[in-house]
Amino acid sequence: MQQDLAQRIEAGCAVVTPNRRLAAHLTREYDARQAAAGKSAWPTADILPFTAFVERAYRDALYAGDAAGLPVLLAPAQEQALWESTVRESDAGDVLLAIPETAAVAREAWRLAHAWRLTG
């Protein structure tokens, strides 16, 4: 782990990663760094995947008091249903055999493209 990143985490900064795997990896590296420094206890690093960050930001906004104009956050099943509907209504929807699986892959591709800022 880079020293700059470790110092920012120690200062209380949150680190947002594109996926859970990288968040877990950075957390393990941070913990190993703290243990190697001889510490027996330290605050938990605030390292979380993008989806968890969005959920946290939504909850914070929801309970901040001015949530009247806040859109409703979809449950995973609701999001999957919308993706399935979109895939089914697409030009290829008539020939696809596995709509739910295709929708899940499309949803994950969309999430990754936005997490990595690949969209225009």
Side-chain angles (χ1 to χ4, degrees), residues 31-92:
D31 290 343
R33 182 183 181 96
Q34 297 300 329
K39 296 181 181 177
S40 59
W42 54 88
T44 301
D46 192 12
I47 303 173
L48 63 165
F50 179 73
T51 53
F53 172 75
V54 170
E55 290 170 7
R56 178 200 288 178
Y58 182 84
R59 264 194 328 272
D60 289 350
L62 185 64
Y63 297 115
D66 190 23
L70 196 62
V72 174
L73 189 63
L74 296 176
Q78 294 171 311
E79 184 180 359
Q80 178 67 20
L82 285 175
W83 276 104
E84 287 178 24
S85 174
T86 301
V87 168
R88 193 174 289 109
E89 294 170 10
S90 72
D91 293 339

